[in-house]
Amino acid sequence: MDEPRFIQPEWPAPENVRAATSTRIGGASRPPFDTFNLGARAGDDALSVKENRRRLREALSLPEEPRWLAQVHGTRVVAAGTVQRDESRADAAVTDRPGVVCAVLTADCLPVLLCDRKGRRIGIAHAGWRGLSGGIIEQTIKATGVAPGELLAWLGPAIGPDVYEVGADVLDACRASDPGCERCFRPGRSERWYADIYALARRRLEAAGVHAVYGGGLCTHTDAERFYSYRRDGRTGRMATLIWRTR
């Protein structure tokens, strides 16, 4: 049996801040969720998801069960310590409490991690194009209560700019809240566009005052061995990105 495998963020976070993104390797789920699906709403067998979440806690030595969100592609941010059992309809969470594990699930959307340079406040956001255009990054930054210049950000695996084809409605929605973002799009087929979700997120972070931004560049769509992709497969599993404080 394969052991769960993870992506470790390469960013200068304080020693007491831990983070990881899961891959699809090392779980108990059967096709099309093979094998390490952590999403309870993807259509997978509930017992398989429960076992995968147990393996997640064990492999990362997590201090508690992650505070899973009921993600809705919105802009609501919650205090992670108040979240109970997938019940909070939100797409981002923050905390200043050690031992509270913030988490989002993705299969093409962008997971964004935040922490302050002293390791006192952490946050996480699930950012698809709707969330980005609606301001999920800005809302999460605000919810940390930290001056943006004191924050570090890391961008996890998401669908890459060579395959993320969208309609003009996506370009219009992003342009409405971020004039000048056209440079993050290039023409596709039949009046469609290829969007660079990493570049869109970096613009938002930079405009908000977060200048220390790391990560980006791992494409969920093209790396089928490691990552789930909703665009590629339709019925599929979810990876988890997590962040927590040890003290």
Side-chain angles (χ1 to χ4, degrees), residues 8 19 21 28 42 78 88 102 106 109 125 135 139 151 157 160 163 168 171 173 195 199 201 217 238:
Q8 300 293 336
T21 293
V78 295
S88 290
C102 303
T106 61
C109 288
Q139 291 298 323
L151 289 172
V163 289
L171 172 59
R238 300 294 186 273

Side-chain angles (χ1 to χ4, degrees), residues 16-17 96-100 119-120 122 243-247:
N16 68 310
V17 174
D96 61 358
R97 290 169 48 184
V100 173
R120 295 175 180 171
I122 58 175
I243 186 169
W244 69 100
R245 288 179 50 194
T246 59
R247 54 177 171 78

Side-chain angles (χ1 to χ4, degrees), residues 138-206:
E138 294 86 345
Q139 291 298 323
T140 309
I141 291 169
K142 181 180 179 180
T144 66
V146 177
E150 292 300 309
L151 289 172
L152 309 175
W154 182 76
L155 309 180
I159 189 168
D162 292 333
V163 289
Y164 188 24
E165 192 174 22
V166 300
D169 58 326
V170 176
L171 172 59
D172 291 342
C174 291
R175 187 164 45 194
S177 57
D178 180 15
C181 73
E182 294 92 343
R183 69 193 65 180
C184 301
F185 294 79
R186 62 180 178 85
R189 302 166 295 175
S190 303
E191 300 183 359
R192 294 179 65 80
W193 301 83
Y194 288 103
D196 188 338
I197 198 168
Y198 298 118
L200 288 167
R202 289 190 181 98
R203 281 180 58 87
R204 295 273 181 170
L205 288 160
E206 183 75 20

Side-chain angles (χ1 to χ4, degrees), residues 121-133:
R121 299 282 296 185
I122 58 175
I124 193 167
H126 161 250
W129 71 263
R130 289 182 179 85
L132 283 172
S133 62

Side-chain angles (χ1 to χ4, degrees), residues 49-67:
V49 176
K50 182 177 180 180
E51 170 60 15
N52 290 340
R53 290 185 173 187
R54 184 198 67 78
R55 294 186 191 186
L56 175 74
R57 295 193 304 272
E58 182 179 87
L60 294 177
S61 299
L62 295 179
E64 65 160 21
E65 177 73 18
R67 304 300 179 105

